[in-house]
Amino acid sequence: DVVMTQSPLSLPVTLGQPASISCRSSQSPEYSDGNTYLNWFQQRPGQSPRRLIYKVSNRDSRVPDRFSGSGSGTDFTLTISRVEAEDVGIYYCMQGAQWPVTFGQGTKLEIK
Amino acid sequence: EVQLVESGGTLVQPGGSLRLSCLASGFTFRAYSMHWVRQAPGKELQYVSAINSNGDRTFYTDSVKGRFTISRDNSKSTLYLQMSSLRPDDTALYYCVRAETGTYNDWGQGTLVTVSS
């Protein structure tokens, strides 16, 4: 299975400051169709996960533009340009290119 | 609006059986692959099982092979997970997920399965 490794696992951030989460995959999440299926999900406390980013850098509708995704090969990053209180939660990367799909361990974002 | 509503989770003894259901609405159910993903308390997300759009291909993570069976009824827009020989490490919140190639579009609210004596 493809191993997804996130860092840091805990991320205390001051309101209004930027935050970045790294995700490294043991194999490239590039599929035979040429797409790179690297996703980011947010799980707020007590809620189900919701997708923020798909195919590395495509932001879902209704996701604020302070969230962005980048990367290539086996290294990917989720960046929040200015953290707001509603961003508290756990963030997961997920690769969907190779079976089975696999998730990172999660990064817990909290406000300092 | 896409809605995925899971049900069937409960407390069950080790070795017992349970069937989870997921009622879908707001999209053309028969057009999508569907997955089950679980999350043990305080733990990360784990893919469990998947079924293609017409139900003739199924997939399982190794730890549930031979014990869990995924199925769907497209006429009822419902996804199922039949679970047997349950173990304490199957304890988790089970999510129903709508999938497309390489991604998960939508998640249900989850149904809690607790395996304990």
Short mmCIF file of all heavy atoms in Angstrom, two decimals, chain A residues 4 29-31 33 35-42 49-61 63 92-103, chain B residues 4 27 31-37 45 47 49-51 96-107:
data_model
loop_
_atom_site.label_atom_id
_atom_site.label_comp_id
_atom_site.label_asym_id
_atom_site.label_seq_id
_atom_site.Cartn_x
_atom_site.Cartn_y
_atom_site.Cartn_z
N MET A 4 1.23 7.38 3.22
CA MET A 4 1.14 8.84 3.21
C MET A 4 1.63 9.36 4.56
O MET A 4 1.07 8.99 5.60
CB MET A 4 -0.30 9.28 2.94
CG MET A 4 -0.91 8.65 1.71
SD MET A 4 -0.09 9.10 0.19
CE MET A 4 -0.61 10.81 0.02
N PRO A 29 1.33 9.63 -6.59
CA PRO A 29 -0.10 9.42 -6.80
C PRO A 29 -0.55 9.79 -8.22
O PRO A 29 -1.71 10.14 -8.44
CB PRO A 29 -0.74 10.34 -5.76
CG PRO A 29 0.25 11.42 -5.55
CD PRO A 29 1.59 10.84 -5.80
N GLU A 30 0.36 9.71 -9.17
CA GLU A 30 -0.02 9.96 -10.56
C GLU A 30 -0.61 8.69 -11.16
O GLU A 30 -0.03 7.61 -11.09
CB GLU A 30 1.18 10.41 -11.39
CG GLU A 30 0.79 10.76 -12.83
CD GLU A 30 1.93 11.33 -13.63
OE1 GLU A 30 3.01 11.58 -13.05
OE2 GLU A 30 1.76 11.52 -14.85
N TYR A 31 -1.77 8.84 -11.77
CA TYR A 31 -2.49 7.71 -12.34
C TYR A 31 -2.14 7.55 -13.81
O TYR A 31 -1.56 8.46 -14.42
CB TYR A 31 -3.99 7.93 -12.14
CG TYR A 31 -4.87 6.73 -12.42
CD1 TYR A 31 -4.62 5.49 -11.84
CD2 TYR A 31 -5.99 6.85 -13.25
CE1 TYR A 31 -5.43 4.41 -12.09
CE2 TYR A 31 -6.81 5.78 -13.51
CZ TYR A 31 -6.52 4.55 -12.92
OH TYR A 31 -7.34 3.48 -13.17
N ASP A 33 -3.96 7.88 -16.25
CA ASP A 33 -4.64 8.85 -17.09
C ASP A 33 -3.93 10.22 -17.09
O ASP A 33 -4.41 11.17 -17.69
CB ASP A 33 -6.10 9.02 -16.67
CG ASP A 33 -6.27 9.56 -15.25
OD1 ASP A 33 -5.26 9.89 -14.60
OD2 ASP A 33 -7.42 9.64 -14.77
N ASN A 35 -3.46 12.15 -14.49
CA ASN A 35 -3.85 12.98 -13.36
C ASN A 35 -3.14 12.53 -12.08
O ASN A 35 -2.85 11.35 -11.91
CB ASN A 35 -5.36 12.91 -13.12
CG ASN A 35 -6.13 13.62 -14.21
OD1 ASN A 35 -5.91 14.80 -14.48
ND2 ASN A 35 -7.05 12.91 -14.84
N THR A 36 -2.90 13.48 -11.21
CA THR A 36 -2.31 13.19 -9.91
C THR A 36 -3.42 13.31 -8.86
O THR A 36 -3.91 14.40 -8.57
CB THR A 36 -1.16 14.16 -9.59
OG1 THR A 36 -0.14 14.00 -10.59
CG2 THR A 36 -0.57 13.85 -8.22
N TYR A 37 -3.79 12.14 -8.31
CA TYR A 37 -4.95 12.10 -7.41
C TYR A 37 -4.52 12.25 -5.95
O TYR A 37 -4.54 11.31 -5.16
CB TYR A 37 -5.74 10.82 -7.65
CG TYR A 37 -6.43 10.82 -9.00
CD1 TYR A 37 -6.02 9.95 -10.01
CD2 TYR A 37 -7.48 11.70 -9.25
CE1 TYR A 37 -6.65 9.96 -11.25
CE2 TYR A 37 -8.11 11.72 -10.48
CZ TYR A 37 -7.69 10.85 -11.49
OH TYR A 37 -8.31 10.86 -12.70
N LEU A 38 -4.17 13.48 -5.63
CA LEU A 38 -3.82 13.84 -4.27
C LEU A 38 -4.88 14.81 -3.75
O LEU A 38 -5.12 15.85 -4.36
CB LEU A 38 -2.42 14.48 -4.23
CG LEU A 38 -1.76 14.73 -2.87
CD1 LEU A 38 -2.37 15.93 -2.12
CD2 LEU A 38 -1.79 13.50 -1.98
N ASN A 39 -5.52 14.41 -2.65
CA ASN A 39 -6.64 15.16 -2.09
C ASN A 39 -6.31 15.63 -0.68
O ASN A 39 -5.51 15.01 0.04
CB ASN A 39 -7.88 14.27 -2.00
CG ASN A 39 -8.25 13.61 -3.30
OD1 ASN A 39 -9.01 14.16 -4.08
ND2 ASN A 39 -7.72 12.42 -3.56
N TRP A 40 -7.00 16.69 -0.27
CA TRP A 40 -6.93 17.17 1.11
C TRP A 40 -8.34 17.25 1.67
O TRP A 40 -9.25 17.76 1.01
CB TRP A 40 -6.28 18.54 1.19
CG TRP A 40 -4.81 18.54 0.92
CD1 TRP A 40 -4.19 18.81 -0.28
CD2 TRP A 40 -3.76 18.27 1.85
NE1 TRP A 40 -2.82 18.72 -0.13
CE2 TRP A 40 -2.53 18.39 1.17
CE3 TRP A 40 -3.73 17.94 3.21
CZ2 TRP A 40 -1.29 18.19 1.78
CZ3 TRP A 40 -2.50 17.74 3.82
CH2 TRP A 40 -1.30 17.87 3.12
N PHE A 41 -8.49 16.77 2.92
CA PHE A 41 -9.78 16.80 3.60
C PHE A 41 -9.62 17.53 4.93
O PHE A 41 -8.57 17.45 5.58
CB PHE A 41 -10.30 15.39 3.87
CG PHE A 41 -10.61 14.63 2.61
CD1 PHE A 41 -9.63 13.88 1.99
CD2 PHE A 41 -11.88 14.66 2.05
CE1 PHE A 41 -9.90 13.18 0.82
CE2 PHE A 41 -12.16 13.98 0.89
CZ PHE A 41 -11.17 13.23 0.27
N GLN A 42 -10.69 18.20 5.32
CA GLN A 42 -10.76 18.85 6.63
C GLN A 42 -11.81 18.13 7.47
O GLN A 42 -12.92 17.87 6.98
CB GLN A 42 -11.16 20.31 6.46
CG GLN A 42 -11.37 21.09 7.75
CD GLN A 42 -12.12 22.39 7.51
OE1 GLN A 42 -13.26 22.39 7.02
NE2 GLN A 42 -11.50 23.51 7.84
N PRO A 49 -15.49 14.25 7.59
CA PRO A 49 -14.52 14.92 6.71
C PRO A 49 -15.22 15.58 5.55
O PRO A 49 -16.29 15.14 5.11
CB PRO A 49 -13.63 13.76 6.23
CG PRO A 49 -13.81 12.68 7.24
CD PRO A 49 -15.22 12.81 7.71
N ARG A 50 -14.64 16.66 5.04
CA ARG A 50 -15.11 17.27 3.81
C ARG A 50 -13.90 17.57 2.94
O ARG A 50 -12.83 17.93 3.46
CB ARG A 50 -15.93 18.53 4.05
CG ARG A 50 -15.13 19.75 4.53
CD ARG A 50 -15.83 21.04 4.14
NE ARG A 50 -15.10 22.21 4.65
CZ ARG A 50 -15.27 23.44 4.19
NH1 ARG A 50 -16.16 23.68 3.21
NH2 ARG A 50 -14.58 24.45 4.68
N ARG A 51 -14.08 17.40 1.66
CA ARG A 51 -12.97 17.62 0.74
C ARG A 51 -12.73 19.11 0.56
O ARG A 51 -13.66 19.89 0.36
CB ARG A 51 -13.25 16.96 -0.61
CG ARG A 51 -12.01 16.87 -1.49
CD ARG A 51 -12.34 16.16 -2.79
NE ARG A 51 -13.27 16.96 -3.61
CZ ARG A 51 -13.79 16.52 -4.75
NH1 ARG A 51 -13.52 15.30 -5.18
NH2 ARG A 51 -14.61 17.30 -5.43
N LEU A 52 -11.44 19.48 0.61
CA LEU A 52 -11.02 20.85 0.35
C LEU A 52 -10.39 20.98 -1.03
O LEU A 52 -10.67 21.94 -1.76
CB LEU A 52 -9.99 21.31 1.38
CG LEU A 52 -10.37 21.34 2.85
CD1 LEU A 52 -9.15 21.70 3.69
CD2 LEU A 52 -11.50 22.33 3.09
N ILE A 53 -9.50 20.05 -1.33
CA ILE A 53 -8.66 20.11 -2.53
C ILE A 53 -8.64 18.74 -3.20
O ILE A 53 -8.55 17.72 -2.52
CB ILE A 53 -7.20 20.48 -2.16
CG1 ILE A 53 -7.12 21.81 -1.40
CG2 ILE A 53 -6.31 20.48 -3.40
CD1 ILE A 53 -7.33 23.04 -2.25
N TYR A 54 -8.74 18.71 -4.53
CA TYR A 54 -8.59 17.48 -5.28
C TYR A 54 -7.60 17.69 -6.42
O TYR A 54 -7.39 18.82 -6.86
CB TYR A 54 -9.94 16.97 -5.79
CG TYR A 54 -10.64 17.93 -6.74
CD1 TYR A 54 -10.55 17.79 -8.11
CD2 TYR A 54 -11.41 18.98 -6.23
CE1 TYR A 54 -11.18 18.67 -8.97
CE2 TYR A 54 -12.05 19.87 -7.08
CZ TYR A 54 -11.93 19.70 -8.44
OH TYR A 54 -12.56 20.58 -9.29
N LYS A 55 -7.02 16.61 -6.88
CA LYS A 55 -5.98 16.67 -7.93
C LYS A 55 -4.97 17.76 -7.64
O LYS A 55 -4.72 18.65 -8.46
CB LYS A 55 -6.62 16.83 -9.31
CG LYS A 55 -7.31 15.54 -9.77
CD LYS A 55 -7.68 15.54 -11.26
CE LYS A 55 -8.88 16.35 -11.53
NZ LYS A 55 -9.34 16.22 -12.96
N VAL A 56 -4.41 17.69 -6.44
CA VAL A 56 -3.29 18.51 -5.95
C VAL A 56 -3.67 19.94 -5.62
O VAL A 56 -3.36 20.43 -4.53
CB VAL A 56 -2.12 18.52 -6.97
CG1 VAL A 56 -0.95 19.37 -6.42
CG2 VAL A 56 -1.64 17.12 -7.30
N SER A 57 -4.35 20.62 -6.55
CA SER A 57 -4.50 22.07 -6.38
C SER A 57 -5.89 22.62 -6.72
O SER A 57 -6.07 23.85 -6.71
CB SER A 57 -3.46 22.79 -7.25
OG SER A 57 -3.65 22.44 -8.61
N ASN A 58 -6.85 21.75 -7.00
CA ASN A 58 -8.18 22.21 -7.35
C ASN A 58 -9.03 22.35 -6.09
O ASN A 58 -9.30 21.38 -5.39
CB ASN A 58 -8.84 21.22 -8.32
CG ASN A 58 -8.14 21.19 -9.66
OD1 ASN A 58 -8.44 21.95 -10.56
ND2 ASN A 58 -7.16 20.30 -9.78
N ARG A 59 -9.47 23.55 -5.83
CA ARG A 59 -10.24 23.84 -4.63
C ARG A 59 -11.71 23.56 -4.88
O ARG A 59 -12.27 23.93 -5.91
CB ARG A 59 -10.03 25.30 -4.22
CG ARG A 59 -10.53 25.66 -2.84
CD ARG A 59 -10.06 27.06 -2.43
NE ARG A 59 -10.30 28.04 -3.46
CZ ARG A 59 -9.34 28.68 -4.13
NH1 ARG A 59 -8.06 28.43 -3.87
NH2 ARG A 59 -9.65 29.57 -5.06
N ASP A 60 -12.36 22.89 -3.92
CA ASP A 60 -13.79 22.64 -4.04
C ASP A 60 -14.58 23.96 -3.94
O ASP A 60 -14.11 24.94 -3.34
CB ASP A 60 -14.25 21.68 -2.95
CG ASP A 60 -14.12 20.24 -3.37
OD1 ASP A 60 -13.04 19.67 -3.19
OD2 ASP A 60 -15.11 19.70 -3.89
N SER A 61 -15.76 23.92 -4.53
CA SER A 61 -16.65 25.08 -4.40
C SER A 61 -16.99 25.27 -2.92
O SER A 61 -17.02 24.30 -2.17
CB SER A 61 -17.92 24.88 -5.21
OG SER A 61 -18.60 23.73 -4.78
N VAL A 63 -15.17 26.33 -0.71
CA VAL A 63 -13.96 26.35 0.12
C VAL A 63 -13.30 27.72 -0.04
O VAL A 63 -13.05 28.16 -1.16
CB VAL A 63 -12.98 25.24 -0.31
CG1 VAL A 63 -11.64 25.37 0.43
CG2 VAL A 63 -13.59 23.87 -0.05
N TYR A 92 -6.35 15.88 6.58
CA TYR A 92 -5.82 14.62 6.06
C TYR A 92 -5.50 14.76 4.57
O TYR A 92 -6.30 15.32 3.81
CB TYR A 92 -6.84 13.50 6.18
CG TYR A 92 -7.22 13.10 7.59
CD1 TYR A 92 -8.32 13.67 8.22
CD2 TYR A 92 -6.48 12.14 8.27
CE1 TYR A 92 -8.67 13.29 9.51
CE2 TYR A 92 -6.83 11.76 9.57
CZ TYR A 92 -7.92 12.33 10.17
OH TYR A 92 -8.27 11.96 11.45
N CYS A 93 -4.36 14.22 4.16
CA CYS A 93 -4.14 14.03 2.74
C CYS A 93 -4.55 12.60 2.38
O CYS A 93 -4.61 11.72 3.26
CB CYS A 93 -2.69 14.30 2.34
SG CYS A 93 -1.44 13.25 3.11
N MET A 94 -4.86 12.40 1.12
CA MET A 94 -5.30 11.08 0.67
C MET A 94 -4.85 10.90 -0.77
O MET A 94 -5.00 11.82 -1.58
CB MET A 94 -6.83 10.98 0.73
CG MET A 94 -7.37 9.62 0.27
SD MET A 94 -9.13 9.70 -0.17
CE MET A 94 -9.02 9.67 -1.96
N GLN A 95 -4.31 9.72 -1.07
CA GLN A 95 -4.00 9.41 -2.46
C GLN A 95 -5.07 8.47 -3.01
O GLN A 95 -5.47 7.52 -2.33
CB GLN A 95 -2.58 8.83 -2.61
CG GLN A 95 -2.36 7.44 -2.05
CD GLN A 95 -2.86 6.33 -2.95
OE1 GLN A 95 -2.97 6.49 -4.17
NE2 GLN A 95 -3.17 5.16 -2.37
N GLY A 96 -5.50 8.74 -4.22
CA GLY A 96 -6.54 7.92 -4.83
C GLY A 96 -6.09 7.29 -6.13
O GLY A 96 -6.92 6.81 -6.90
N ALA A 97 -4.78 7.26 -6.37
CA ALA A 97 -4.29 6.74 -7.64
C ALA A 97 -4.04 5.25 -7.62
O ALA A 97 -4.15 4.57 -8.64
CB ALA A 97 -3.00 7.45 -8.03
N GLN A 98 -3.67 4.74 -6.44
CA GLN A 98 -3.34 3.33 -6.35
C GLN A 98 -4.25 2.66 -5.34
O GLN A 98 -4.61 3.25 -4.32
CB GLN A 98 -1.88 3.15 -5.93
CG GLN A 98 -0.92 3.85 -6.87
CD GLN A 98 0.42 3.15 -6.95
OE1 GLN A 98 0.52 1.96 -6.66
NE2 GLN A 98 1.45 3.88 -7.35
N TRP A 99 -4.64 1.42 -5.64
CA TRP A 99 -5.55 0.68 -4.78
C TRP A 99 -4.77 -0.02 -3.67
O TRP A 99 -3.76 -0.65 -3.95
CB TRP A 99 -6.31 -0.34 -5.61
CG TRP A 99 -7.56 -0.76 -4.94
CD1 TRP A 99 -7.77 -1.85 -4.18
CD2 TRP A 99 -8.80 -0.04 -4.94
NE1 TRP A 99 -9.06 -1.85 -3.73
CE2 TRP A 99 -9.71 -0.76 -4.17
CE3 TRP A 99 -9.22 1.16 -5.54
CZ2 TRP A 99 -11.03 -0.34 -3.97
CZ3 TRP A 99 -10.52 1.58 -5.33
CH2 TRP A 99 -11.39 0.84 -4.56
N PRO A 100 -5.19 0.05 -2.41
CA PRO A 100 -6.34 0.81 -1.92
C PRO A 100 -6.00 2.27 -1.71
O PRO A 100 -4.83 2.62 -1.57
CB PRO A 100 -6.64 0.14 -0.58
CG PRO A 100 -5.28 -0.26 -0.08
CD PRO A 100 -4.52 -0.69 -1.32
N VAL A 101 -7.01 3.12 -1.69
CA VAL A 101 -6.75 4.52 -1.33
C VAL A 101 -6.20 4.54 0.09
O VAL A 101 -6.53 3.69 0.92
CB VAL A 101 -8.03 5.37 -1.43
CG1 VAL A 101 -8.61 5.32 -2.81
CG2 VAL A 101 -9.05 4.96 -0.39
N THR A 102 -5.31 5.48 0.35
CA THR A 102 -4.70 5.59 1.67
C THR A 102 -4.65 7.03 2.11
O THR A 102 -4.54 7.95 1.29
CB THR A 102 -3.28 4.98 1.69
OG1 THR A 102 -2.55 5.46 0.56
CG2 THR A 102 -3.32 3.47 1.65
N PHE A 103 -4.71 7.20 3.43
CA PHE A 103 -4.74 8.51 4.06
C PHE A 103 -3.48 8.75 4.88
O PHE A 103 -2.85 7.80 5.37
CB PHE A 103 -5.93 8.61 5.02
CG PHE A 103 -7.28 8.54 4.37
CD1 PHE A 103 -7.90 7.31 4.16
CD2 PHE A 103 -7.94 9.69 3.97
CE1 PHE A 103 -9.15 7.23 3.57
CE2 PHE A 103 -9.20 9.63 3.37
CZ PHE A 103 -9.79 8.40 3.17
N LEU B 4 -26.05 11.51 2.33
CA LEU B 4 -25.72 10.11 2.59
C LEU B 4 -26.03 9.87 4.06
O LEU B 4 -25.41 10.48 4.93
CB LEU B 4 -24.25 9.83 2.30
CG LEU B 4 -23.80 10.09 0.85
CD1 LEU B 4 -22.29 10.09 0.74
CD2 LEU B 4 -24.38 9.02 -0.07
N PHE B 27 -28.32 12.78 -5.90
CA PHE B 27 -27.50 12.49 -7.05
C PHE B 27 -27.95 11.16 -7.65
O PHE B 27 -28.73 10.43 -7.04
CB PHE B 27 -26.01 12.44 -6.69
CG PHE B 27 -25.61 11.32 -5.76
CD1 PHE B 27 -25.02 10.16 -6.25
CD2 PHE B 27 -25.83 11.42 -4.39
CE1 PHE B 27 -24.65 9.13 -5.39
CE2 PHE B 27 -25.47 10.40 -3.53
CZ PHE B 27 -24.88 9.25 -4.02
N ALA B 31 -24.90 5.79 -10.80
CA ALA B 31 -23.79 6.24 -11.65
C ALA B 31 -22.44 6.28 -10.93
O ALA B 31 -21.41 6.53 -11.55
CB ALA B 31 -24.09 7.62 -12.21
N TYR B 32 -22.45 6.05 -9.63
CA TYR B 32 -21.23 6.25 -8.84
C TYR B 32 -20.79 5.00 -8.11
O TYR B 32 -21.60 4.23 -7.59
CB TYR B 32 -21.45 7.36 -7.80
CG TYR B 32 -21.53 8.73 -8.41
CD1 TYR B 32 -22.75 9.24 -8.86
CD2 TYR B 32 -20.40 9.52 -8.56
CE1 TYR B 32 -22.82 10.49 -9.44
CE2 TYR B 32 -20.46 10.78 -9.13
CZ TYR B 32 -21.69 11.24 -9.58
OH TYR B 32 -21.75 12.48 -10.15
N SER B 33 -19.47 4.84 -8.03
CA SER B 33 -18.90 3.89 -7.08
C SER B 33 -19.14 4.41 -5.68
O SER B 33 -19.18 5.63 -5.45
CB SER B 33 -17.39 3.75 -7.32
OG SER B 33 -17.13 3.20 -8.59
N MET B 34 -19.26 3.50 -4.75
CA MET B 34 -19.49 3.86 -3.35
C MET B 34 -18.49 3.11 -2.47
O MET B 34 -18.14 1.95 -2.75
CB MET B 34 -20.91 3.52 -2.93
CG MET B 34 -21.99 4.29 -3.69
SD MET B 34 -21.98 6.06 -3.38
CE MET B 34 -22.39 6.15 -1.64
N HIS B 35 -18.06 3.76 -1.42
CA HIS B 35 -17.07 3.19 -0.51
C HIS B 35 -17.57 3.26 0.93
O HIS B 35 -18.42 4.10 1.27
CB HIS B 35 -15.76 3.97 -0.58
CG HIS B 35 -15.02 3.83 -1.87
ND1 HIS B 35 -13.64 3.86 -1.93
CD2 HIS B 35 -15.43 3.68 -3.15
CE1 HIS B 35 -13.24 3.73 -3.18
NE2 HIS B 35 -14.31 3.63 -3.95
N TRP B 36 -16.99 2.41 1.76
CA TRP B 36 -17.09 2.53 3.21
C TRP B 36 -15.70 2.87 3.74
O TRP B 36 -14.71 2.21 3.36
CB TRP B 36 -17.59 1.24 3.85
CG TRP B 36 -19.04 0.94 3.61
CD1 TRP B 36 -19.56 0.08 2.68
CD2 TRP B 36 -20.16 1.48 4.33
NE1 TRP B 36 -20.94 0.05 2.78
CE2 TRP B 36 -21.33 0.91 3.78
CE3 TRP B 36 -20.29 2.39 5.39
CZ2 TRP B 36 -22.60 1.22 4.24
CZ3 TRP B 36 -21.56 2.70 5.85
CH2 TRP B 36 -22.70 2.12 5.28
N VAL B 37 -15.65 3.87 4.60
CA VAL B 37 -14.41 4.29 5.25
C VAL B 37 -14.70 4.34 6.74
O VAL B 37 -15.78 4.77 7.15
CB VAL B 37 -13.96 5.69 4.75
CG1 VAL B 37 -12.74 6.18 5.53
CG2 VAL B 37 -13.66 5.64 3.26
N LEU B 45 -8.32 7.95 9.30
CA LEU B 45 -9.29 7.36 8.41
C LEU B 45 -8.72 6.11 7.73
O LEU B 45 -7.54 6.07 7.38
CB LEU B 45 -9.69 8.39 7.34
CG LEU B 45 -10.31 9.68 7.89
CD1 LEU B 45 -10.26 10.78 6.84
CD2 LEU B 45 -11.74 9.41 8.34
N TYR B 47 -9.81 3.22 4.66
CA TYR B 47 -10.68 2.64 3.65
C TYR B 47 -11.03 1.21 4.08
O TYR B 47 -10.18 0.47 4.55
CB TYR B 47 -9.95 2.65 2.30
CG TYR B 47 -10.36 1.55 1.37
CD1 TYR B 47 -11.50 1.69 0.59
CD2 TYR B 47 -9.63 0.38 1.27
CE1 TYR B 47 -11.90 0.69 -0.26
CE2 TYR B 47 -10.01 -0.63 0.42
CZ TYR B 47 -11.15 -0.48 -0.34
OH TYR B 47 -11.54 -1.48 -1.17
N SER B 49 -14.00 -0.77 2.20
CA SER B 49 -14.55 -1.55 1.11
C SER B 49 -15.10 -0.62 0.04
O SER B 49 -15.43 0.54 0.32
CB SER B 49 -15.65 -2.47 1.63
OG SER B 49 -16.17 -3.30 0.61
N ALA B 50 -15.20 -1.15 -1.18
CA ALA B 50 -15.73 -0.36 -2.29
C ALA B 50 -16.54 -1.24 -3.23
O ALA B 50 -16.32 -2.46 -3.29
CB ALA B 50 -14.59 0.31 -3.05
N ILE B 51 -17.45 -0.62 -3.94
CA ILE B 51 -18.26 -1.33 -4.93
C ILE B 51 -18.44 -0.41 -6.13
O ILE B 51 -18.63 0.80 -5.96
CB ILE B 51 -19.61 -1.77 -4.31
CG1 ILE B 51 -20.38 -2.67 -5.26
CG2 ILE B 51 -20.45 -0.55 -3.89
CD1 ILE B 51 -21.56 -3.39 -4.59
N CYS B 96 -20.13 6.27 4.93
CA CYS B 96 -20.49 5.97 3.55
C CYS B 96 -19.98 7.14 2.70
O CYS B 96 -20.16 8.31 3.08
CB CYS B 96 -22.02 5.86 3.49
SG CYS B 96 -22.79 5.87 1.88
N VAL B 97 -19.32 6.82 1.58
CA VAL B 97 -18.67 7.87 0.80
C VAL B 97 -18.99 7.70 -0.67
O VAL B 97 -18.92 6.59 -1.21
CB VAL B 97 -17.14 7.81 1.00
CG1 VAL B 97 -16.47 8.95 0.24
CG2 VAL B 97 -16.77 7.90 2.47
N ARG B 98 -19.32 8.81 -1.32
CA ARG B 98 -19.50 8.81 -2.77
C ARG B 98 -18.14 9.05 -3.42
O ARG B 98 -17.44 10.00 -3.05
CB ARG B 98 -20.48 9.90 -3.18
CG ARG B 98 -20.74 9.95 -4.68
CD ARG B 98 -21.87 10.91 -5.00
NE ARG B 98 -21.48 12.31 -4.91
CZ ARG B 98 -21.49 13.18 -5.92
NH1 ARG B 98 -21.84 12.76 -7.12
NH2 ARG B 98 -21.17 14.44 -5.73
N ALA B 99 -17.80 8.20 -4.36
CA ALA B 99 -16.46 8.26 -4.94
C ALA B 99 -16.50 8.53 -6.43
O ALA B 99 -17.46 8.19 -7.12
CB ALA B 99 -15.72 6.95 -4.67
N GLU B 100 -15.45 9.18 -6.89
CA GLU B 100 -15.16 9.27 -8.32
C GLU B 100 -13.70 8.86 -8.48
O GLU B 100 -13.01 8.65 -7.49
CB GLU B 100 -15.38 10.69 -8.83
CG GLU B 100 -16.84 11.03 -9.03
CD GLU B 100 -17.02 12.36 -9.74
OE1 GLU B 100 -16.65 13.39 -9.16
OE2 GLU B 100 -17.54 12.35 -10.88
N THR B 101 -13.22 8.79 -9.70
CA THR B 101 -11.85 8.35 -9.92
C THR B 101 -10.89 9.17 -9.07
O THR B 101 -10.82 10.38 -9.20
CB THR B 101 -11.47 8.49 -11.41
OG1 THR B 101 -12.38 7.73 -12.19
CG2 THR B 101 -10.05 7.97 -11.63
N GLY B 102 -10.21 8.50 -8.17
CA GLY B 102 -9.15 9.11 -7.41
C GLY B 102 -9.54 10.02 -6.27
O GLY B 102 -8.68 10.62 -5.63
N THR B 103 -10.85 10.13 -5.98
CA THR B 103 -11.24 11.07 -4.95
C THR B 103 -12.55 10.67 -4.29
O THR B 103 -13.28 9.81 -4.78
CB THR B 103 -11.37 12.49 -5.54
OG1 THR B 103 -11.48 13.44 -4.48
CG2 THR B 103 -12.57 12.60 -6.48
N TYR B 104 -12.81 11.30 -3.14
CA TYR B 104 -14.06 11.13 -2.41
C TYR B 104 -14.80 12.47 -2.41
O TYR B 104 -14.32 13.45 -1.85
CB TYR B 104 -13.77 10.72 -0.96
CG TYR B 104 -13.32 9.28 -0.79
CD1 TYR B 104 -12.67 8.88 0.37
CD2 TYR B 104 -13.55 8.33 -1.76
CE1 TYR B 104 -12.27 7.57 0.56
CE2 TYR B 104 -13.16 7.01 -1.58
CZ TYR B 104 -12.51 6.64 -0.42
OH TYR B 104 -12.12 5.34 -0.23
N ASN B 105 -15.98 12.48 -3.01
CA ASN B 105 -16.71 13.73 -3.17
C ASN B 105 -17.49 14.12 -1.91
O ASN B 105 -17.48 15.27 -1.50
CB ASN B 105 -17.72 13.65 -4.31
CG ASN B 105 -17.11 13.16 -5.59
OD1 ASN B 105 -16.56 12.07 -5.67
ND2 ASN B 105 -17.20 13.97 -6.63
N ASP B 106 -18.21 13.13 -1.36
CA ASP B 106 -19.14 13.42 -0.28
C ASP B 106 -19.12 12.30 0.74
O ASP B 106 -18.97 11.13 0.39
CB ASP B 106 -20.57 13.57 -0.83
CG ASP B 106 -20.68 14.68 -1.86
OD1 ASP B 106 -20.73 15.85 -1.45
OD2 ASP B 106 -20.70 14.37 -3.06
N TRP B 107 -19.32 12.70 2.00
CA TRP B 107 -19.32 11.78 3.12
C TRP B 107 -20.64 11.86 3.88
O TRP B 107 -21.22 12.94 4.00
CB TRP B 107 -18.19 12.14 4.10
CG TRP B 107 -16.81 12.12 3.54
CD1 TRP B 107 -16.31 12.91 2.54
CD2 TRP B 107 -15.74 11.28 3.96
NE1 TRP B 107 -14.98 12.61 2.32
CE2 TRP B 107 -14.60 11.63 3.18
CE3 TRP B 107 -15.60 10.29 4.93
CZ2 TRP B 107 -13.37 11.00 3.33
CZ3 TRP B 107 -14.36 9.67 5.10
CH2 TRP B 107 -13.26 10.02 4.30
#
